[in-house]
């Protein structure tokens, strides 16, 4: 219990339940267990996670948000913020009994300033909201593979986009962040105001307050050369070896990934995926068509059964990776690796290749390097991602039993890749409870702890990856 909570306990009703009830009396946006709004609010995008916080809050306005943070603080309650619940499996590791889970879903405003190439985005917006608003101006955002990931959660965690190897992490393309302090006040952090806080927020996640608005830089990109190639999974060894050799010298203009995918025979899947196991290479290239074609030529030379690479509107990139279109129960995990040499290739094949017994839906190697390996001027707490590839695995887990078995399988595969693990974790795609300090250099970790102690001395704000 925090110091403030202890004092509050001495002078107000003793139990957490009473404090939560008091908050619900003071704030109409707050809902307690037993009400339909509570169940609506605790529903996470990752349906496998059955999160049961002390209360949920569904604020309609930023004023509602300030009001509830102020009163939660006075009552010694903790606050966590969730836009979608894509990372709910990480939050679920914490005791949430004295926590108000704030869902920002109602705050989805996006304002584009085409002259300055900036998007001002409210806390509940998902990437498709920004992509749709920016595209008519010929602008693109540093969004990730899924259309419905929250802009704030993704960006505070770093943000690995389709433009990452050319333009770096999304968190290092942030102009300013507005957030609510423990006192319930909105403050702004940017390159000139609260610079330590601005640094910490960009990679340090939701540990420092409730973000109400984020301003992000947009790129003048209307279209890209992008697509995917598919082979049957039994060609995995040959495709993986080619991918590994190719990726060692791929130009910064391409951001790409290679995945082994095993699909169940679900009727909603297209014919070319239903019930099949395949290798998929996909990517986005920021070059003219002929140059882009030359870049992907080594993969194309492997005669994929399908090749969709073509010039496409940048706005279509939110569907390229075929991420689930709606909330999905999943168990996953990811680590950065620092080489994809013969030994690592053999380990990956033996863990998830065609001869393995795995039933993981996804085993992915996302290409790192390029701008991700350089430190941009004015970088935040996460400067880039060290390593050559990000290995990410995931299973669909419709029941608790399948989820438990999948956790063991995810662990098994990541352990097989552990000898190749890069020094630091990338929290956005760690996707499970980890030692958070392992995502930062020791001086960065220490500085993050100092900023946390300065802005949130009572530990009121709980993030999924807690500092
Ligand atoms: C299908 C899928 C595809 C993905 N693709 C990518 C990708 O391409 N690149 C990538 O980098 N990551 C990717 N991710 C990971 C994703 O970026 C993280 O899970 C991210 O945390 C999700 O943010 P969210 O707001 O949607 O999730 P939530 O679970 O709602 O939030 C995650 C955390 O963000 C913080 N947070 C959210 N909103 C606020 C706020 N308003 N104020 C303060 N803190 C806040 C909190 O700490 C919260 O626990 C993917 C995840 C999935 C499931």
């Amino acid at each position: 219990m925090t110091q403030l909570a202890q004092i509050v306990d001495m002078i107000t009703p003793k139990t957490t339940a009473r404090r939560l009830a008091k908050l619900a009396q003071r704030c109409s946006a707050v809902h307690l267990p037993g009400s339909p709004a509570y169940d609506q609010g605790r529903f996470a995008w990752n349906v496998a996670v059955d999160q049961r916080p002390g209360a949920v809050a569904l604020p309609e306005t930023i004023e509602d948000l300030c009001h509830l943070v102020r009163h939660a603080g006075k009552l010694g309650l903790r606050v966590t913020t969730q836009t979608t619940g894509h990372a709910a499996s990480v939050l679920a590791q914490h005791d949430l009994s004295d926590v108000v889970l704030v869902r920002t879903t109602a705050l989805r405003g996006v304002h584009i300033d085409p002259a300055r190439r900036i998007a001002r985005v409210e806390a509940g917006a998902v990437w498709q909201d920004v992509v749709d608003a920016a595209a008519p101006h010929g602008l693109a955002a540093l969004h990730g593979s899924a259309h419905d990931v929250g802009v704030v959660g993704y960006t505070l965690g770093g943000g690995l986009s389709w433009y990452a190897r050319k333009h770096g992490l999304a968190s290092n393309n942030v102009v300013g962040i507005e957030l609510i302090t423990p006192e319930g006040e909105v403050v702004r952090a940017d390159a000139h105001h609260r610079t330590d806080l601005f640094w910490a927020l960009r990679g340090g996640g939701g540990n420092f307050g409730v973000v109400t608005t984020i301003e992000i830089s947009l790129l003048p990109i209307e279209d890209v050369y992008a697509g995917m190639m598919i082979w049957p999974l039994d060609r995995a060894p040959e495709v993986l070896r080619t991918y590994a050799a190719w990726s060692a010298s791929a130009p910064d203009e391409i951001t790409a990934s290679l995945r082994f995918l095993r699909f169940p025979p679900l009727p909603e899947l297209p014919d070319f995926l239903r019930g099949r196991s395949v290798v998929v290479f996909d990517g986005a290239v920021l070059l003219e068509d002929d140059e882009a074609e030359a870049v992907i030529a080594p993969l194309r030379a492997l005669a994929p059964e399908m090749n969709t690479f073509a010039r496409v509107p940048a706005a279509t990139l939110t569907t390229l990776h075929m991420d689930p279109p709606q909330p999905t129960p999943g168990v996953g995990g990811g680590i950065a690796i620092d080489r994809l040499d013969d030994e690592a290739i053999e380990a990956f094949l033996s863990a998830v290749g065609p001869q393995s017994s795995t039933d993981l839906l996804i085993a992915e190697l996302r290409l790192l390097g390029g701008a991700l390996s350089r430190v941009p001027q004015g970088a935040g707490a996460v400067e880039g991602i060290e390593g050559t590839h990000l290995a990410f695995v995931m299973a669909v887990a419709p029941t608790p039993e399948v989820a438990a078995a999948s956790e063991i399988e995810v662990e098994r595969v990541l352990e097989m890749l552990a000898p190749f693990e890069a020094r630091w974790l990338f929290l956005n795609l760690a996707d499970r409870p980890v030692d958070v300090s392992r995502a930062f250099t020791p001086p960065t970790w220490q500085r993050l702890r100092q900023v946390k102690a300065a802005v949130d001395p009572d530990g009121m704000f709980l993030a999924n990856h807690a500092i």
Side-chain angles (χ1 to χ4, degrees):
M1 190 181 283
T2 65
Q3 228 179 1
L4 180 61
Q6 278 166 354
I7 297 166
V8 169
D9 249 22
M10 278 188 270
I11 52 174
T12 57
K14 276 226 159 101
T15 66
T16 302
R18 280 187 181 171
R19 284 188 275 139
L20 288 163
K22 205 154 198 166
L23 183 68
Q25 276 168 10
R26 292 178 189 172
C27 310
S28 58
V30 172
H31 305 277
L32 299 176
S35 74
Y38 174 86
D39 281 326
Q40 179 201 332
R42 73 182 189 85
F43 182 83
W45 184 93
N46 185 344
V47 189
V49 179
D50 182 23
Q51 49 186 8
R52 291 176 187 276
V56 302
L58 304 171
E60 296 281 329
T61 63
I62 291 174
E63 290 70 33
D64 287 351
L65 257 174
C66 293
H67 183 71
L68 87 86
V69 169
R70 191 174 309 123
H71 285 285
K74 282 182 184 162
L75 289 163
L77 294 165
R78 293 186 295 158
V79 167
T80 194
T81 317
Q82 208 170 58
T83 312
T84 65
H86 272 81
S89 60
V90 188
L91 184 68
Q93 70 184 299
H94 302 284
D95 172 10
L96 300 180
S97 57
D98 67 334
V99 172
V100 183
L101 174 74
V102 177
R103 298 301 298 255
T104 53
T105 330
L107 304 163
R108 279 178 78 161
V110 176
H111 174 77
I112 306 292
D113 180 339
R116 292 169 64 220
R117 295 210 296 249
I118 285 173
R120 191 173 156 79
V121 183
E122 284 186 355
V126 298
W127 275 117
Q128 197 64 48
D129 298 331
V130 179
V131 167
D132 289 346
H137 301 284
L139 298 170
L142 284 127
H143 60 82
S145 57
H147 69 104
D148 58 356
V149 159
V151 176
V152 171
Y154 165 100
T155 308
L156 298 185
L160 180 60
S161 81
W162 279 121
Y163 308 114
R165 283 172 36 86
K166 181 71 181 166
H167 295 283
L169 290 174
S171 54
N172 288 325
N173 286 271
V174 173
V175 177
I177 297 175
E178 285 157 33
L179 73 163
I180 304 177
T181 65
E183 294 75 33
E185 307 294 333
V186 177
V187 297
R188 182 178 169 91
D190 59 28
H192 309 289
H193 306 92
R194 296 181 168 78
T195 49
D196 262 6
L197 179 56
F198 186 52
W199 169 85
L201 282 161
R202 291 173 300 140
N207 285 286
F208 308 99
V210 178
V211 171
T212 58
T213 310
I214 189 163
E215 285 177 7
I216 54 175
S217 296
L218 300 171
L219 302 167
I221 298 174
E222 279 183 67
D223 48 45
V224 288
Y225 200 80
M228 65 176 171
M229 298 181 198
I230 299 184
W231 300 262
L233 188 65
D234 56 19
R235 294 198 54 199
E238 173 194 9
V239 179
L240 176 55
R241 285 192 188 99
T242 303
Y243 175 71
W246 167 85
S247 62
S249 59
D252 295 1
E253 282 76 14
I254 182 164
T255 299
S257 91
L258 189 81
R259 284 172 297 163
F260 297 175
L261 300 174
R262 291 169 163 86
F263 289 100
L266 293 176
E268 59 265 38
L269 291 171
D271 288 349
F272 66 94
L273 298 177
R274 190 182 314 115
R276 294 193 65 206
S277 296
V278 291
V279 185
V280 177
F281 167 78
D282 58 4
V285 199
L286 298 174
L287 291 169
E288 295 303 322
D289 292 8
D290 49 348
E291 295 166 311
E293 272 295 305
V295 167
I296 59 172
L299 278 305
R300 207 185 47 237
L302 298 177
E305 66 180 38
M306 180 188 278
N307 174 8
T308 67
F309 272 89
R311 183 143 301 271
V312 294
T316 63
L317 287 185
T318 50
T319 55
L320 173 62
H321 211 51
M322 301 184 295
D323 280 345
Q326 71 264 321
T328 301
V331 169
I335 55 170
I337 59 171
D338 60 12
R339 59 196 160 104
L340 191 51
D341 56 10
D342 288 347
E343 207 190 333
I345 290 171
E346 288 314 315
F348 195 76
L349 286 172
S350 114
V352 292
Q355 309 303 328
S356 77
S357 59
T358 193
D359 52 5
L360 290 170
L361 172 70
I362 301 171
E364 171 166 9
L365 291 167
R366 241 183 237 206
L367 182 56
L368 300 175
L372 294 167
S373 57
R374 299 187 283 270
V375 181
Q377 233 194 346
V382 171
E383 296 168 339
I385 312 179
E386 198 180 87
T388 58
H389 296 81
L390 206 139
F392 178 78
V393 292
M394 194 214 133
V396 173
T399 65
E401 294 73 30
V402 177
S406 302
E407 269 165 29
I408 294 169
E409 178 60 2
V410 166
E411 196 62 43
R412 180 190 74 85
V413 172
L414 294 182
E415 262 174 32
M416 288 179 77
L417 299 177
F420 316 100
E421 189 170 357
R423 283 186 300 174
W424 319 116
L425 286 166
F426 178 60
L427 292 178
N428 260 13
L429 290 166
D431 208 30
R432 60 202 183 122
V434 290
D435 172 359
V436 183
S437 70
R438 286 193 49 226
F440 307 99
T441 64
T444 300
W445 177 244
Q446 206 183 347
R447 187 173 166 201
L448 281 170
R449 306 257 303 175
Q450 283 164 357
V451 177
K452 172 75 175 170
V455 302
D456 182 21
D458 290 317
M460 178 179 171
F461 297 116
L462 175 70
N464 52 351
H465 292 295
I467 289 174

